[in-house]
Amino acid sequence: MTSRTHHVRVPPSLWAAVASALIVLTMTPLTSAQDASLTLRPTEPLVELAAEVRVVLERRTGREVIIGDAPPAILEAVPEHHVGMEEATEGVSLVLGAPQGRVVRAMVPNADDIPAQARAVALAIESLGDEAASLPAPRPRSNEEIFIEAPRPPTTVPPIARPTLYLKMMVGLSPIRRSVIVGPGAGLGLCVGPHCVVVEADLSLLPQYETNQRGETVRYRPVNASLRAILRPYQDEKFAVGIGFGFLTRVGRALLLDTDRDQVVTNFGLRGSLEFAVRIRGPFEWVFDGGVDLAITRARFLRSGSTIFLEDRWNPFLVTSLRVRP
């Protein structure tokens, strides 16, 4: 009986597959994350406790446990398979480095003695290992652009100027003419910050009297109207200081006493003033106002070729008033 040997020819592609499988197996670590060595990194006061924890962990898990250097200043910066141990008010703070740069944390309360504390810390580290192993895989980063719309500024622009309106009751004195000023007044204008441009009007309830060389007396009671700029270099919730300057005109009816002759007279001039205001309560403020009027064209009463000037070229004034300025 003759025996025959059969030779089986292996295709080259199969040999290549087997070689690749062997390379992968030789490059694959034989230990899993649970079997890798664990490094304890305690702070100086916890070195003795870490030695006890090492004994308990090696006995319970069979893993190699190493006592390493002190943990980094930020405990969460420990690498994978390293456990940072730090004293805390509540007990011992533990941070275990997990894959992908993540960490898991635990706080172990203080125990009565070191062996009991070591068992509690060892159990907590085992629990952290299980938690780290069960962490979900991180989401892959996307290269897509993310557009975040910044908040747009409001489309409505607040007004630069605001209106102003005030009423006042004044009492004052004209030193040169030695006449008393008593009457109401009002103002309307626009303000930019504390500075304003206003149109003002006031009326003295007490008339003025002028007598010429013939002994004729003219009674005159004008309405004062002005266009002024008021600059306030200082203003707070209680006090304000203002400097005013602008144009002034007076319009009134002059009556020659003991006759029926009267005329409408006018003048044009300039007014400069300095005011000090004290806010009393709400919109009410007390104002002290002093200044001078310069008459460019003086009001006068004409009679039979003679002229009676009804005001002086320079007319200083001192006025105090109660002003309502919302």
Side-chain angles (χ1 to χ4, degrees):
M1 185 176 180
T2 305
S3 61
R4 296 181 181 180
T5 303
H6 297 278
H7 298 277
V8 179
R9 184 180 179 183
V10 180
S13 58
L14 181 59
W15 284 113
V18 172
S20 299
L22 291 175
I23 293 173
V24 171
L25 289 175
T26 56
M27 295 181 64
T28 303
L30 298 177
T31 58
S32 63
Q34 294 292 335
D35 298 330
S37 62
L38 190 66
T39 301
L40 304 181
R41 300 182 61 177
T43 56
E44 184 64 27
L46 297 180
V47 172
E48 183 181 356
L49 175 63
E52 294 287 338
V53 172
R54 173 187 177 185
V55 174
V56 176
L57 279 175
E58 288 184 340
R59 184 172 60 246
R60 288 180 56 86
T61 64
R63 298 176 63 181
E64 180 185 9
V65 180
I66 302 171
I67 305 295
D69 299 331
I74 300 177
L75 208 60
E76 285 76 7
V78 293
E80 186 178 358
H81 303 307
H82 284 228
V83 180
M85 301 174 60
E86 185 177 55
E87 279 188 316
T89 305
E90 300 85 355
V92 179
S93 178
L94 303 176
V95 175
L96 171 63
Q100 304 295 332
R102 293 176 291 180
V103 295
V104 287
R105 305 172 183 83
M107 178 65 66
V108 180
N110 290 320
D112 297 334
D113 51 27
I114 290 182
Q117 185 79 12
R119 288 191 297 272
V121 171
L123 291 174
I125 292 175
E126 285 189 70
S127 178
L128 290 178
D130 295 338
E131 183 180 350
S134 62
L135 286 176
R139 296 178 59 184
R141 294 184 178 180
S142 174
N143 293 328
E144 296 180 359
E145 295 183 358
I146 299 176
F147 176 74
I148 301 177
E149 184 177 3
R152 296 181 179 180
T155 55
T156 57
V157 179
I160 299 177
R162 57 179 178 82
T164 181
L165 170 67
Y166 58 84
L167 305 173
K168 65 180 180 180
M169 177 58 70
M170 59 184 182
V171 176
L173 175 67
S174 177
I176 291 181
R177 304 187 64 84
R178 298 180 182 178
S179 58
V180 178
I181 304 171
V182 178
L188 175 65
L190 291 175
C191 295
V192 178
H195 313 301
C196 303
V197 175
V198 296
V199 176
E200 297 176 307
D202 59 74
L203 170 67
S204 179
L205 300 178
L206 301 179
Q208 302 176 14
Y209 294 90
E210 288 293 332
T211 303
N212 62 6
Q213 295 178 352
R214 301 177 183 178
E216 297 172 327
T217 302
V218 176
R219 184 177 65 188
Y220 172 52
R221 185 168 61 185
V223 175
N224 300 324
S226 63
L227 173 63
R228 292 198 302 157
I230 302 177
L231 306 179
R232 295 186 174 92
Y234 177 79
Q235 176 175 288
D236 58 19
E237 296 181 357
K238 189 67 176 178
F239 303 102
V241 177
I243 302 172
F245 56 89
F247 302 101
L248 171 70
T249 184
R250 289 191 175 98
V251 180
R253 183 172 293 277
L255 174 66
L256 184 63
L257 297 183
D258 300 328
T259 69
D260 57 353
R261 294 184 179 182
D262 61 354
Q263 297 175 9
V264 175
V265 296
T266 63
N267 92 323
F268 178 77
L270 303 175
R271 168 171 286 186
S273 65
L274 176 66
E275 71 173 33
F276 177 73
V278 180
R279 182 75 69 164
I280 301 174
R281 185 175 182 182
F284 296 96
E285 59 184 2
W286 197 267
V287 183
F288 300 90
D289 196 359
V292 62
D293 296 335
L294 170 62
I296 298 175
T297 60
R298 300 164 63 186
R300 56 188 177 174
F301 188 88
L302 302 177
R303 170 163 170 74
S304 300
S306 64
T307 300
I308 304 175
F309 286 101
L310 303 179
E311 58 188 46
D312 300 305
R313 180 72 66 181
W314 296 90
N315 183 25
F317 61 88
L318 294 171
V319 175
T320 181
S321 61
L322 178 64
R323 188 163 66 184
V324 181
R325 185 164 65 96

